[in-house]
């Protein structure tokens, strides 16, 4: 379970049950902003693909994939900290309909 204050854009959602998602490129192994939420997990796979590394991380019952620029080495089972900015969350209704898509953040 992850708890944090909802970003302004998500506060306008109607009452109901939602599922939230993030793109792997919006997860990071380093803190990128003061808004970032920190999570910890265990590396299940570090997959180098060209000039990027896809780090598969297990956090409680949730599997995450962090898309990180560059070639990085992580040991299987290694405990790591990773981050996401809640402003990058997508919100879906239980039927799969998209209810919120984040604005592109300036780089």
């Amino acid at each position: 379970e992850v708890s944090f204050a909802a970003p302004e854009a998500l506060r306008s959602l109607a009452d109901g049950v939602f599922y939230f998602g993030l793109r792997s490129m919006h997860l990071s192994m380093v803190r990128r902003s003061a808004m970032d939420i920190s999570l910890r997990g265990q590396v299940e796979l570090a997959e180098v693909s060209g000039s990027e590394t896809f780090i598969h991380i297990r956090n409680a019952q949730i599997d995450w994939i962090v898309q990180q620029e560059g070639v990085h080495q992580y040991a299987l089972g290694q405990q790591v900290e990773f981050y996401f900015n809640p402003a990058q969350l997508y919100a879906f209704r239980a039927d799969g309909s998209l209810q919120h898509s984040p604005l592109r953040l300036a780089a």
Side-chain angles (χ1 to χ4, degrees):
E1 182 175 311
V2 179
S3 298
F4 53 88
E8 185 68 33
L10 294 178
R11 293 182 198 154
S12 63
L13 291 173
D15 289 342
V17 175
F18 293 91
Y19 295 93
F20 296 93
L22 288 162
R23 294 182 179 271
S24 61
M25 67 182 131
H26 294 148
L27 294 164
S28 178
M29 299 304 287
V30 296
R31 185 178 298 276
R32 295 189 260 197
S33 80
M35 301 294 293
D36 284 357
I37 303 297
S38 170
L39 298 169
R40 295 196 56 78
Q42 181 175 344
V43 173
E44 294 195 325
L45 175 68
E47 172 185 14
V48 176
S49 178
S51 63
E52 297 179 315
T53 304
F54 292 86
I55 305 116
H56 298 249
I57 301 170
R58 180 78 143 159
N59 166 275
Q61 298 300 313
I62 301 174
D63 293 319
W64 303 80
I65 300 174
V66 178
Q67 181 180 347
Q68 195 73 29
E69 288 187 32
V71 175
H72 304 277
Q73 301 295 318
Y74 293 92
L76 296 180
Q78 179 179 345
Q79 293 293 316
V80 293
E81 190 167 15
F82 60 106
Y83 305 88
F84 75 92
N85 184 329
Q88 292 290 352
L89 287 169
Y90 289 79
F92 301 89
R93 286 274 187 198
D95 67 3
S97 62
L98 179 64
Q99 299 298 301
H100 171 77
S101 177
L103 296 174
R104 293 179 72 109
L105 295 179

